[in-house]
Amino acid sequence: MSENFLINNQGLESGKMKMCNIRTGLDKACLKEAIIDHLFYKQGCEPEGASINDVYLAVSYALRDRLLHHGLKTFDAVLEDEDIRLVSYLSAEFLMGPQLGANLIDLNIFDEMRQAVTELGFDFKLVLEQEEEPGLGNGGLGRLASCYMDSLASLEIPAIGYGIRYEFGIFDQEIKDGWQVEITDKWLRYGNPWEIARPESSVNVYFGGYTEQYSNEIGKVLRRWVPSYVVKGIPYDTSEMGYKVASCNFLRLWKSEAIESFDFSSFNHGDYYKAVMDKIESENISKILYPNDELYVGKQLRLKQQYFFSSCSLQDMMRMHLENQGKPQDFHKKWAIQLNDTHPAISVAELMRILLDECKLDWKTAWETTQQTFSYTNHTLLPEALEKWPLDLFKALLPRLLEIIYEINYRFLEEVKRRFPEDNNILSRLSLIEETGSSYVRMANLACVGSYAINGVASLHTELLKKNILNDWVSMYPDKFYNITNGITPRRFVVLSNPGLSKLITKNIGDTWPQYLNELKKLEPFAYDANFKEQFRQVKIENKRILSSVIKDRIGIVVNPSSMFDVQVKRIHEYKRQHLNVLHILTLYLRIKSNPDIEIQPRTFIFWGKAAPGYFMAKLLIKLINSVGNLVNNDFDVRDRIKVVFFPDFNVKNAQLIYPAADLSEQISTSGKEASGTGNMKFALNGALTIGTLDGANIEIREEVGYENFFLFGLTASQVIEVKQNNYDPRFIYENNMELNAVIKFINSGILSNGDRNLFKPITDNLLYGDPYLLLADYPLYISCQDIVAETWKDKDKWNTMAVLNVARMGKFSSDRSINDYCENIWKVKPFKLKIE
Ligand code: F58
């Protein structure tokens, strides 16, 4: 039964206990009634005639009813309380994952619901699987936003996540003949029971046109924006329940629509086509998530998306603030806005526009308010990922915003001049406008100047940011910089997705660890307890069996659950070096071919990840992995000792299957390239050992779990730079390392590609003539480290001790810790404990 932290019948009925409240009751009987009720009144069917989707929807509606009570109570209380500063997490991406299971865990009624559904005669597992996940993100950045929403709610920090309700999320991936094929993600096609549209809170967003000066009724000279078109933003809210707490936040995603269904003036003049086109153009803004990974692409629609959701969200916050008698200049006292990367950075100028043009504040007051409102998280070290918008495009689309940016820039550069009178170059580097032939608006600079805090997402990342791409900003504003190492939610990534491990942990150290992840430390002594380790091993093997059967069902490859599951799941990108992993597989393969009886520890190599549709090399890498799989999996000499699996369609649902089943986690990016990584945390927390470089959060993971429980290899970030500066010659390594030489020649032999010797040449040429991600430099170190991994695997007892110690020492990487860091150091906000009468 659920605990009394939840608002239930008593809370809502002021002490009068009903037998069963169909909307709020949390026991099995109430849940059954609620499901039957929703089947009938929402889905229009009796249980006997219900499809699995009907049942999924009815179960979800029943759960949503329960969440709504928490959410409404929370926000009634929070908005009225003058002293509360709310967090607003602005992110172009939220990779939420399926909602049903996670909400049941948060409400602590997973078992009750399972029983209710089962007793009604339905298969609960199928009901869970029925959910189409909202894939409203590309990868780590979007998933981090969702982990943070979970932690904000669980720590009872009043917060709203703001983003875009993309009609099509990240594409579904299929593999045809070894190549990636992208399929549109129609996640809304069977309905989304979790969201509530709130058209009464719609806002208008301006685009195009021009600006003009005018005098208001008291003769004050002001500027205003006369747009050429206006788009409507409609909010859709999804509850974000905390784990075992009463309060509930929400995520507000904006859908774009035309302000009128038809442009009647065009229609009346007979221009039916134009009228329809305008409607389509407006709706296009929230149509599709851009599937870019890391690389910045200057598409006009993307800038529209960024401004659209920034403007909608700020207007929404300002409306709430003013409705509660707040003054415009006190906006920052009510809202702490976190910019998740530069995608919402235009918000800095938009808040200025609202304060100046709509609230009629003077510049100084408006700028002080703005600068105390925003904080900015950077997620990348790749200079090519820094967003900048062509000035002409910007001006045509957002003329008033550009004017404001010019003014911010003018005043800011005056300040820079005063601070660094001798240094002319710093002016051009810090300027919000880049003038390198063509002119651009630099979004990272806008975010930096408009925020009171700037943070990186892992220690190394923050250090490198300060040393390299944001170095001038450190000179200008040394006190703005913070490091906040990323984290992950243990509720979704252990409690929900690894029930076996959760139960084992709870049995031994109690059930509060999901809220206080450092309590996992209490597991340390069990790392040397044979009985515990045996149970731990059984959990892992069961998870591997489950994954094996899914692999067999979906792609027809039979894998051996007792082989080592060596896993690399993440976006496919050259800097993440999936091809280094491939070089290792082929090294083992060639060792077998030259001596079929060689001792090889059985391994299943599992890859899972999407490539950006326009990223040629990444797509070729997928083809290479599949070609290697085809060869190795069917080679008689290999005798199933190594298997290679490329599992299509990496998403949160699939991810939840994979982390619990991994033995070895591949975190092998070139040092200095991966800002943090969060998959690395999910694996280690589920008891996989890591083979990794000193990159991103790997460094901190290794420090926590102990150097002896982490397989380290490779150049450090500073060695990477040194090697590059010293005329790095990958060919020298190629010519002097026999195994590497054989592998590269093998790839080009045509054996992997039906005799086509050129198919993979772009990959091998890139390695031999340039090798920007230093695969060849790291190859010998990687291979010998992998040999140590294999040796260690032979000693299962040792391996399990290391794995248990990994779990026990991962407490730091709870997203609750990250959010606490943000609260204390950046947002200066406190929990708000909802009182239950
Ligand atoms: C990722 N960035 C970092 N960007 O690569 C990863 O190291 C880090 O752990 C994670 O952020 C969270 O901090 C990332 O996922 C994107 O997907 C962008 C989405 C929008 C287009 C450009 C890339």
Side-chain angles (χ1 to χ4, degrees):
M1 247 316 281
S2 325
E3 296 161 23
N4 58 5
F5 53 82
L6 297 167
I7 303 172
N8 55 25
N9 299 329
Q10 290 101 315
L12 291 163
E13 305 285 328
S14 54
K16 271 186 279 160
M17 178 78 171
K18 275 193 186 170
M19 278 312 286
C20 185
N21 188 321
I22 205 163
R23 299 283 184 201
T24 60
L26 297 168
D27 60 27
K28 186 180 72 184
C30 295
L31 294 172
K32 276 164 88 171
E33 266 192 48
I35 297 168
I36 294 172
D37 187 70
H38 279 298
L39 274 177
F40 193 88
Y41 288 105
K42 277 256 170 58
Q43 296 311 109
C45 60
E46 306 274 2
E48 300 73 46
S51 69
I52 197 72
N53 196 54
D54 289 327
V55 181
Y56 159 70
L57 290 173
V59 169
S60 305
Y61 285 127
L63 197 53
R64 190 183 78 178
D65 290 341
R66 281 139 184 87
L67 301 180
L68 272 175
H69 283 290
H70 290 265
L72 294 176
K73 286 217 149 215
T74 308
F75 275 81
D76 280 351
V78 160
L79 287 171
E80 277 171 15
D81 190 329
E82 275 178 25
D83 298 329
I84 294 180
R85 190 181 198 207
L86 286 96
V87 173
S88 157
Y89 200 83
L90 253 60
S91 178
E93 303 194 356
F94 287 92
L95 194 41
M96 284 182 264
Q99 297 292 290
L100 177 53
N103 283 327
L104 290 171
I105 296 282
D106 286 338
L107 281 180
N108 204 23
I109 55 167
F110 197 91
D111 289 336
E112 284 81 356
M113 186 62 96
R114 182 179 37 221
Q115 285 168 18
V117 171
T118 312
E119 286 180 19
L120 288 172
F122 304 107
D123 182 335
F124 185 59
K125 197 164 160 264
L126 288 185
V127 172
L128 284 174
E129 276 169 14
Q130 182 61 25
E131 181 164 355
E132 284 259 10
E133 72 170 77
L136 310 185
N138 273 283
L141 175 146
R143 182 54 233 173
L144 185 79
S146 288
C147 282
Y148 282 178
M149 288 306 294
D150 177 89
S151 283
L152 282 162
S154 300
L155 294 169
E156 298 188 86
I157 307 294
I160 302 179
Y162 279 109
I164 302 176
R165 181 182 177 275
Y166 301 105
E167 187 178 335
F168 303 115
I170 186 73
F171 62 88
D172 294 333
Q173 179 195 52
E174 285 183 8
I175 300 295
K176 296 232 163 84
D177 188 28
W179 295 96
Q180 167 175 299
V181 177
E182 299 94 25
I183 315 282
T184 3
D185 163 49
K186 303 187 199 74
W187 70 286
L188 288 167
R189 86 187 112 172
Y190 300 121
N192 172 10
W194 303 104
E195 65 184 13
I196 294 188
R198 301 206 182 273
E200 73 287 356
S201 299
S202 298
V203 295
N204 287 341
V205 180
Y206 290 4
F207 287 101
Y210 57 93
T211 63
E212 64 185 17
Q213 197 163 294
Y214 73 104
S215 305
N216 72 359
E217 54 291 350
I218 54 162
K220 191 169 174 192
V221 178
L222 295 161
R223 291 201 74 77
R224 72 177 156 217
W225 181 358
V226 185
S228 56
Y229 58 100
V230 181
V231 173
K232 185 156 68 172
I234 300 174
Y236 283 70
D237 293 348
T238 302
S239 297
E240 184 64 61
M241 188 69 206
Y243 179 68
K244 294 190 178 176
V245 290
S247 52
C248 178
N249 291 328
F250 64 93
L251 182 64
R252 177 159 278 189
L253 301 181
W254 299 97
K255 176 177 193 264
S256 64
E257 276 192 9
I259 26 180
E260 291 296 335
S261 312
F262 277 102
D263 176 346
F264 283 105
S265 61
S266 309
F267 191 51
N268 290 337
H269 289 101
D271 195 352
Y272 179 78
Y273 182 72
K274 179 174 181 303
V276 177
M277 280 316 287
D278 286 351
K279 177 170 157 57
I280 291 175
E281 283 225 342
S282 299
E283 287 174 0
N284 272 349
I285 293 180
S286 61
K287 194 62 83 194
I288 182 157
L289 167 80
Y290 273 101
N292 300 326
D293 179 60
E294 302 299 344
L295 283 174
Y296 149 77
V297 185
K299 294 264 182 356
Q300 189 195 40
L301 182 59
R302 198 169 155 81
L303 178 57
K304 278 194 192 170
Q305 289 184 335
Q306 296 187 350
Y307 179 63
F308 167 72
F309 94 92
S310 300
S311 176
C312 288
S313 311
L314 280 165
Q315 291 187 54
D316 196 51
M317 284 177 258
M318 186 60 87
R319 175 186 55 76
M320 287 187 236
H321 178 60
L322 299 179
E323 273 173 13
N324 284 288
Q325 276 67 56
K327 297 196 187 96
Q329 61 271 32
D330 290 339
F331 183 79
H332 60 285
K333 295 185 183 153
K334 196 67 194 169
W335 293 100
I337 304 183
Q338 190 66 33
L339 302 173
N340 196 28
D341 216 294
T342 53
H343 319 135
I346 185 70
S347 301
V348 169
E350 174 65 0
L351 179 58
M352 283 299 284
R353 186 194 66 77
I354 294 173
L355 293 172
L356 294 168
D357 298 3
E358 289 174 20
C359 305
K360 319 279 193 262
L361 295 190
D362 61 84
W363 183 278
K364 187 166 169 285
T365 312
W367 186 235
E368 276 167 11
T369 303
T370 299
Q371 272 192 319
Q372 292 177 83
T373 301
F374 293 103
S375 42
Y376 156 56
T377 307
N378 172 291
H379 294 266
T380 187
L381 285 161
L382 307 182
E384 66 269 29
L386 288 185
E387 289 191 306
K388 51 185 191 178
W389 293 104
L391 205 75
D392 295 346
L393 168 65
F394 206 100
K395 187 170 185 186
L397 214 54
L398 308 170
R400 179 65 184 131
L401 281 288
L402 185 62
E403 235 169 46
I404 290 171
I405 288 173
Y406 277 152
E407 183 68 23
I408 296 173
N409 200 33
Y410 172 76
R411 291 167 186 251
F412 169 60
L413 292 182
E414 287 299 303
E415 197 186 327
V416 179
K417 270 188 230 161
R418 278 195 296 275
R419 288 278 301 280
F420 303 99
E422 310 295 315
D423 190 347
N424 261 339
N425 291 332
I426 201 169
L427 278 183
S428 65
R429 292 197 302 266
L430 285 176
S431 173
L432 307 193
I433 309 295
E434 177 177 315
E435 323 231 23
T436 46
S438 325
S439 306
Y440 297 93
V441 182
R442 294 165 163 163
M443 301 314 274
N445 292 24
L446 180 59
C448 286
V449 74
S451 301
Y452 63 89
I454 300 167
N455 76 286
V457 290
S459 288
L460 175 73
H461 173 231
T462 303
E463 283 318 304
L464 294 176
L465 269 185
K466 284 163 56 176
K467 216 167 117 195
N468 303 316
I469 52 176
L470 298 184
N471 185 253
D472 293 317
W473 291 94
V474 179
S475 318
M476 192 63 200
Y477 300 125
D479 300 335
K480 277 195 186 183
F481 284 80
Y482 297 83
N483 173 61
I484 300 204
T485 299
N486 284 344
I488 57 171
T489 167
R491 272 76 65 177
R492 181 178 287 275
F493 288 106
V494 187
V495 182
L496 176 62
S497 56
N498 198 344
L501 182 61
S502 294
K503 285 198 187 100
L504 179 63
I505 298 174
T506 297
K507 198 171 89 193
N508 287 283
I509 65 166
D511 66 356
T512 45
W513 58 271
Q515 286 138 299
Y516 308 101
L517 204 63
N518 279 324
E519 289 186 2
L520 288 179
K521 278 253 168 351
K522 294 186 198 152
L523 285 177
E524 275 194 29
F526 294 98
Y528 310 96
D529 174 331
N531 181 29
F532 180 90
K533 277 198 289 184
E534 176 52 23
Q535 294 175 54
F536 183 85
R537 194 190 66 80
Q538 301 247 352
V539 166
K540 182 64 81 181
I541 197 92
E542 180 54 23
N543 293 336
K544 289 166 74 176
R545 275 197 204 106
I546 296 170
L547 181 63
S548 305
S549 91
V550 174
I551 291 176
K552 169 137 189 306
D553 288 352
R554 296 210 200 144
I555 50 175
I557 299 179
V558 177
V559 302
N560 171 9
S562 56
S563 64
M564 181 205 303
F565 279 18
D566 176 336
V567 189
Q568 189 169 16
V569 295
K570 46 182 81 245
R571 289 295 286 251
I572 311 290
H573 205 294
E574 287 164 281
Y575 86 78
K576 296 181 189 274
R577 302 201 295 191
Q578 278 89 359
H579 38 349
L580 183 58
N581 193 341
V582 171
L583 294 182
H584 172 236
I585 299 172
L586 287 176
T587 305
L588 293 183
Y589 175 73
L590 293 184
R591 283 181 190 168
I592 292 177
K593 292 308 279 184
S594 61
N595 174 9
D597 293 326
I598 192 173
E599 189 192 350
I600 293 271
Q601 293 304 306
R603 278 207 211 202
T604 303
F605 293 91
I606 301 172
F607 294 85
W608 218 323
K610 294 175 183 174
Y615 187 175
F616 167 75
M617 283 294 252
K619 292 178 112 175
L620 192 59
L621 275 174
I622 293 181
K623 174 70 177 166
L624 176 64
I625 295 165
N626 281 307
S627 305
V628 170
N630 253 338
L631 176 83
V632 168
N633 299 345
N634 300 307
D635 190 307
F636 176 77
D637 287 340
V638 174
R639 281 182 260 131
D640 290 345
R641 283 171 294 176
I642 54 180
K643 280 267 160 95
V644 180
V645 172
F646 186 96
F647 202 108
D649 210 24
F650 188 48
N651 55 22
V652 180
K653 214 190 226 180
N654 289 331
Q656 288 173 203
L657 275 174
I658 190 110
Y659 299 119
D663 295 305
L664 186 68
S665 152
E666 298 270 354
Q667 306 301 334
I668 59 178
S669 51
T670 317
S671 284
K673 297 287 179 201
E674 188 70 89
S676 162
T678 43
N680 46 5
M681 301 169 187
K682 293 163 199 163
F683 279 112
L685 183 57
N686 280 279
L689 302 186
T690 305
I691 179 164
T693 48
L694 286 177
D695 199 15
N698 295 353
I699 298 175
E700 289 158 79
I701 293 176
R702 178 168 167 265
E703 267 158 21
E704 290 295 306
V705 303
Y707 292 179
E708 65 290 1
N709 300 310
F710 185 107
F711 299 106
L712 175 72
F713 77 98
L715 301 173
T716 62
S718 52
Q719 287 167 339
V720 164
I721 292 173
E722 227 172 90
V723 167
K724 284 193 170 173
Q725 280 167 353
N726 289 324
N727 299 327
Y728 172 54
D729 179 13
R731 277 201 77 92
F732 181 81
I733 304 171
Y734 165 72
E735 269 148 24
N736 289 285
N737 184 310
M738 298 311 291
E739 284 201 305
L740 174 65
N741 193 287
V743 166
I744 300 274
K745 284 191 175 132
F746 184 80
I747 296 175
N748 283 335
S749 68
I751 295 178
L752 287 168
S753 42
N754 288 329
D756 180 350
R757 289 159 176 267
N758 290 322
L759 183 63
F760 298 120
K761 264 209 152 255
I763 295 176
T764 52
D765 280 355
N766 184 276
L767 297 181
L768 295 178
Y769 308 101
D771 191 16
Y773 299 103
L774 300 193
L775 274 82
L776 301 202
D778 272 346
Y779 171 87
L781 305 162
Y782 181 55
I783 298 297
S784 39
C785 191
Q786 284 286 17
D787 291 342
I788 295 172
V789 169
E791 267 312 295
T792 313
W793 177 253
K794 277 206 265 181
D795 183 349
K796 293 294 182 311
D797 195 53
K798 180 172 179 200
W799 186 280
N800 281 331
T801 298
M802 292 166 74
V804 174
L805 287 175
N806 264 263
V807 177
R809 296 173 177 172
M810 283 298 289
K812 169 175 171 183
F813 301 98
S814 167
S815 42
D816 297 349
R817 191 267 312 141
S818 316
I819 287 298
N820 272 324
D821 285 356
Y822 277 104
C823 290
E824 277 167 28
N825 300 319
I826 297 186
W827 303 326
K828 316 277 185 208
V829 297
K830 294 214 162 54
F832 174 79
K833 306 254 178 222
L834 190 62
K835 288 191 199 72
I836 306 166
E837 312 92 56

